[in-house]
C-alpha cells in the first residue's frame, strides 16, 4: 500500500472545505504566507464562508471563490487547486478527500481521517490507486514535549517498551463542548474514541513505533445526558443556551454572543442551516460516551491501558512507559482548574486549542533508569495552540511566515499519512465495536486490510 507522506512544504492555490472555527487557523496561516493563496472556500453555510472572506480581507488578501458543499465537484473543476484542506464534519471527510485525490490535488485533512470502516477503506483505496498525497493533521505530534518523548524512547534510554499507561482528562469546559455540538452524535463524529482519542492513539503509535493489533474496551455515558444530570443535580431545563433563562448561570453552558468568533460563525449563521452550537449537555439525545477504558496490544508485544474522562475538574494527561531498562513518565497539566462563566462575561478561553488555557499548569518528563536515580528530561518549551503544535505543524506544511524562523522540530517523521490516520482511528473504531459486543476486537479483521 502506498505510504506517501506530506513531508515537503506545500504552496500554490489552496481550497478550504468546511469553514467553521478550526478552519480559521488555516485561512489565517495560508493568507500570511505569500507562497500560498486561498482561492476557494466551500461550506454548507454561506454566512460562515463570509467570516473567512472577512479574514482574507483583513489580511489584505483577495476574496476567494465561494461554493456550496453540493457544488464541490464544480469547485475542483474550476478552482485549479494545488492543495485542499478538509475541516468538515468528521463523517463527511471522505466525500471531499477521495474526489480531490482523484483530481490530482494534494489533501490535508483534520483528524480523524474519517469515522467508520467503509469510509476508511474508501480513502485508503483512493490513495493507493491515485498514488496521491494525503496528510492527516495530527498537530499533537508537533508539540515539543511530545517529540522529546519520542526522542528519549527511540534513543533506547528505557530499552524496549513493554507497556504503556495513558490517562487523558478533559475538563468541564473543553470536555463539555463535545456534548454541545454535532460531536455528541456518534454517526457524525465517531464518538470521542475516534474524534478525540485518535490524537492519543496516534501519539502512542508514533512514540513506540508500533501498530495496534488487538483492542478491548468498556465505555459509557456516565456524566452528561439527561438521566445523569438529573441524578447529579447539574441538569437545567433548556434545549440550547441562547435566550434561555435557565442557561444564564449554568456553568456547563456556552454563550456564543460572548465570544466574537463564535458569534460570527454560529450565532449569526444559524439562520442559514439551523445548526445550533450551544445545545444543553444534559439532553436526552446524546449518543457518545464520556467515560472510556481501553486495552490495546501492539505488534511489538507491548500493551497499553488507556482511559479518557470528559468531565474532569482539571485538564491534562499522564503517560507512563515501562521498558526493560527503565521507565519514562510524562505529566502535562494543560489547565489546573476552571471557574464558572455566566452569560455576559468574556468568552475568552471557552474554545480549546486557540491559545494557552487560562490556568495553565506544568509539563514534566521524568526518566527513571533501572538502578539509577531519576532525572528530569529538559525539552524546548513552546506556547500557543496545542502546546505550540499548531504553529510548528503549519510551518512544516506551508513554511514559516515572512521574516520568521520555522518552529524547530528535532524529529523528521512528524507528518502523518493515510496509514497513520487509519491506524489511529482503528483503535477507536475497535473500541467502539468492543463497547457494543463486549468482545476483544482484532484490528486487521475489523479494517479488512493489513496496514
Amino acid at each position: 500500500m502506498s505510504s506517501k507522506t506530506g513531508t515537503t512544504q506545500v504552496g500554490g492555490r489552496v481550497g478550504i472545505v468546511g469553514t467553521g472555527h478550526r478552519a480559521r487557523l488555516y485561512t489565517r496561516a495560508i493568507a500570511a504566507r505569500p507562497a500560498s493563496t486561498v482561492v476557494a472556500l466551500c461550506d454548507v453555510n454561506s454566512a460562515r464562508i463570509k467570516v473567512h472572506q472577512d479574514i482574507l480581507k483583513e489580511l489584505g488578501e483577495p476574496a476567494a471563490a465561494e461554493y456550496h458543499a453540493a457544488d464541490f465537484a464544480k469547485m475542483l473543476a474550476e478552482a485549479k487547486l494545488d492543495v485542499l484542506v478538509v475541516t468538515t464534519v468528521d463523517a463527511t471527510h471522505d466525500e471531499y478527500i477521495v474526489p480531490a485525490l482523484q483530481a490530482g490535488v494534494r489533501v490535508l485533512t483534520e483528524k480523524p481521517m474519517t469515522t467508520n470502516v467503509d469510509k476508511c477503506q474508501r480513502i485508503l483505496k483512493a490513495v493507493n490507486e491515485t498514488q496521491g498525497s494525503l496528510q492527516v493533521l495530527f498537530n499533537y505530534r508537533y508539540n515539543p514535549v511530545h517529540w522529546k518523548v519520542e526522542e528519549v524512547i527511540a534513543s533506547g534510554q528505557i530499552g524496549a517498551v513493554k507497556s504503556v499507561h495513558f490517562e487523558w482528562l478533559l475538563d468541564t469546559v473543553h470536555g463539555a463542548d463535545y456534548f454541545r455540538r454535532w460531536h455528541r452524535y456518534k454517526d457524525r463524529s465517531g464518538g470521542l474514541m475516534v474524534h478525540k482519542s485518535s490524537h492519543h492513539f496516534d501519539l502512542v503509535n508514533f512514540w513506540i513505533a508500533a501498530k495496534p493489533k488487538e483492542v478491548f474496551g468498556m465505555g459509557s455515558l456516565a456524566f452528561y445526558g439527561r438521566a445523569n444530570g438529573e441524578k447529579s443535580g447539574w441538569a437545567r431545563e433548556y434545549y440550547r443556551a441562547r435566550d434561555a433563562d435557565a442557561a444564564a448561570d449554568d456553568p456547563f453552558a456556552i454563550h456564543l454572543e460572548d465570544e466574537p468568533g463564535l458569534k460570527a460563525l454560529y450565532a449569526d449563521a444559524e439562520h442559514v442551516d439551523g445548526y445550533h452550537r450551544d445545545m444543553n449537555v444534559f439532553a436526552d439525545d446524546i449518543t457518545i460516551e464520556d467515560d472510556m477504558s481501553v486495552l490495546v496490544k501492539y505488534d511489538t508485544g507491548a500493551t497499553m491501558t488507556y482511559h479518557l474522562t470528559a468531565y474532569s475538574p482539571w485538564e491534562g494527561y499522564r503517560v507512563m512507559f515501562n521498558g526493560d531498562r527503565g521507565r519514562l513518565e510524562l505529566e502535562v497539566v494543560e489547565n489546573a482548574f476552571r471557574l464558572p462563566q455566566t452569560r455576559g462575561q468574556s468568552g475568552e478561553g471557552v474554545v480549546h486549542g486557540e491559545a494557552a488555557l487560562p490556568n495553565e499548569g506544568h509539563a514534566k518528563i521524568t526518566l527513571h533508569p533501572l538502578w539509577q536515580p531519576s532525572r528530569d528530561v529538559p525539552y524546548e518549551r513552546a506556547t500557543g495552540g496545542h502546546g505550540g503544535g499548531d504553529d510548528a505543524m503549519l510551518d512544516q506544511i506551508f513554511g514559516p511566515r515572512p521574516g520568521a524562523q520555522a518552529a524547530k522540530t528535532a524529529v523528521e517523521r512528524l507528518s502523518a499519512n493515510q496509514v497513520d490516520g487509519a491506524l489511529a482511528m482503528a483503535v477507536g473504531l475497535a473500541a467502539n465495536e468492543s463497547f457494543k459486543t463486549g468482545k476483544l476486537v482484532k484490528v486487521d479483521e475489523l479494517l479488512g486490510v493489513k496496514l
Side-chain angles (χ1 to χ4, degrees):
M1 177 169 291
S2 169
S3 59
K4 188 182 292 185
T5 311
T7 53
T8 57
Q9 291 178 359
V10 305
R13 298 172 62 83
V14 183
I16 298 175
V17 56
T19 55
H21 195 273
R22 180 65 177 167
R24 296 189 309 175
L25 175 77
Y26 301 106
T27 299
R28 291 186 179 279
I30 296 162
R33 291 162 167 87
S36 303
T37 305
V38 178
V39 298
L41 295 167
C42 181
D43 200 288
V44 297
N45 190 304
S46 57
R48 284 200 288 273
I49 290 178
K50 183 182 182 303
V51 173
H52 286 255
Q53 295 282 34
D54 290 343
I55 292 172
L56 293 174
K57 183 178 180 180
E58 170 196 334
L59 296 174
E61 290 290 294
E66 299 183 12
Y67 295 88
H68 190 276
D71 296 322
F72 180 69
K74 182 180 179 184
M75 174 175 134
L76 286 179
E78 293 181 350
K80 308 301 181 186
L81 300 178
D82 298 302
V83 181
L84 177 72
V85 180
V86 179
T87 63
T88 60
V89 170
D90 300 343
T92 66
H93 284 183
D94 65 306
E95 298 173 19
Y96 306 103
I97 293 172
V98 172
L101 289 169
Q102 292 170 341
V105 177
R106 183 169 182 169
V107 181
L108 311 172
T109 183
E110 267 293 319
K111 60 80 197 165
M113 189 169 76
T114 186
T115 56
N116 67 34
V117 170
D118 290 343
K119 294 174 180 181
C120 180
Q121 291 175 340
R122 182 175 180 234
I123 292 171
L124 293 173
K125 181 181 178 183
V127 178
N128 196 43
E129 289 179 347
T130 64
Q131 290 295 292
S133 175
L134 171 62
Q135 182 172 348
V136 184
L137 300 170
F138 284 120
N139 52 353
Y140 266 123
R141 285 190 178 202
Y142 295 82
N143 183 332
V145 76
H146 294 156
W147 48 255
K148 177 57 70 172
V149 167
E150 193 275 347
E151 279 188 72
V152 173
I153 293 173
S155 70
Q157 293 182 64
I158 64 168
V161 175
K162 302 299 182 180
S163 63
V164 181
H165 177 67
F166 195 157
E167 179 184 29
W168 199 289
L169 302 170
L170 298 171
D171 66 28
T172 45
V173 173
H174 183 196
D177 208 30
Y178 295 106
F179 296 83
R180 303 179 185 126
R181 57 196 196 202
W182 58 262
H183 301 79
R184 71 201 240 160
Y185 305 119
K186 189 171 277 192
D187 64 336
R188 307 197 77 193
S189 68
L192 290 179
M193 281 285 94
V194 174
H195 176 81
K196 181 61 181 174
S197 297
S198 63
H199 258 322
H200 315 152
F201 301 143
D202 174 70
L203 280 174
V204 176
N205 298 344
F206 166 68
W207 280 328
I208 69 173
K211 297 179 179 180
K213 288 298 176 184
E214 298 177 335
V215 179
F216 178 80
M218 300 178 71
S220 66
L221 183 63
F223 182 82
Y224 301 107
R226 180 183 293 273
N228 294 320
E230 290 176 348
K231 288 178 183 177
S232 65
W234 290 116
R236 304 284 183 91
E237 193 61 39
Y238 63 91
Y239 163 65
R240 57 173 306 199
R242 192 176 192 182
D243 299 326
D245 292 341
D249 62 349
D250 180 3
F252 293 95
I254 191 169
H255 303 288
L256 302 177
E257 294 85 351
D258 293 341
E259 204 282 320
L262 294 178
K263 181 178 184 297
L265 284 168
Y266 301 107
D268 296 344
E270 62 187 33
H271 66 281
V272 178
D273 58 6
Y275 173 55
H276 296 151
R277 173 67 173 74
D278 59 347
M279 292 183 284
N280 190 342
V281 302
F282 296 108
D284 56 11
D285 64 342
I286 295 169
T287 58
I288 65 172
E289 299 83 11
D290 58 22
D291 195 299
M292 294 139 278
S293 299
V294 179
L295 293 172
V296 184
K297 186 167 186 178
Y298 294 87
D299 61 352
T300 59
T303 59
M304 176 177 69
T305 57
Y306 171 87
H307 196 96
L308 176 66
T309 304
Y311 53 92
S312 169
W314 65 276
E315 176 137 346
Y317 46 103
R318 298 186 177 106
V319 195
M320 286 73 81
F321 305 86
N322 298 301
D324 56 16
R325 291 186 174 275
R327 175 180 170 97
L328 187 68
E329 299 177 353
L330 168 65
E331 179 177 81
V332 177
V333 178
E334 292 189 333
N335 211 50
F337 61 92
R338 286 283 193 174
L339 296 175
Q341 289 186 295
T342 58
R343 183 179 292 152
Q345 289 184 298
S346 168
E348 184 179 359
V350 299
V351 177
H352 182 85
E354 284 206 312
L357 291 166
N359 303 298
E360 193 173 10
H362 65 271
K364 182 179 181 182
I365 306 172
T366 307
L367 178 64
H368 300 265
L370 289 177
W371 311 114
Q372 297 178 40
S374 64
R375 59 181 182 271
D376 291 343
V377 177
Y379 66 93
E380 181 182 340
R381 298 178 185 272
T383 59
H386 297 97
D390 284 341
D391 288 341
M393 180 182 72
L394 292 168
D395 282 352
Q396 187 185 74
I397 295 170
F398 297 107
R401 291 177 171 85
Q405 290 187 335
K408 296 178 181 179
T409 54
V411 180
E412 293 184 356
R413 61 187 187 91
L414 290 175
S415 296
N417 65 9
Q418 75 283 352
V419 174
D420 299 312
L423 288 171
M425 62 176 286
V427 179
L429 292 175
N432 283 338
E433 183 67 18
S434 187
F435 294 168
K436 290 190 295 184
T437 65
K439 297 179 180 179
L440 182 142
V441 177
K442 295 182 181 294
V443 169
D444 291 349
E445 292 179 4
L446 178 71
L447 292 181
V449 62
K450 187 173 182 179
L451 298 175

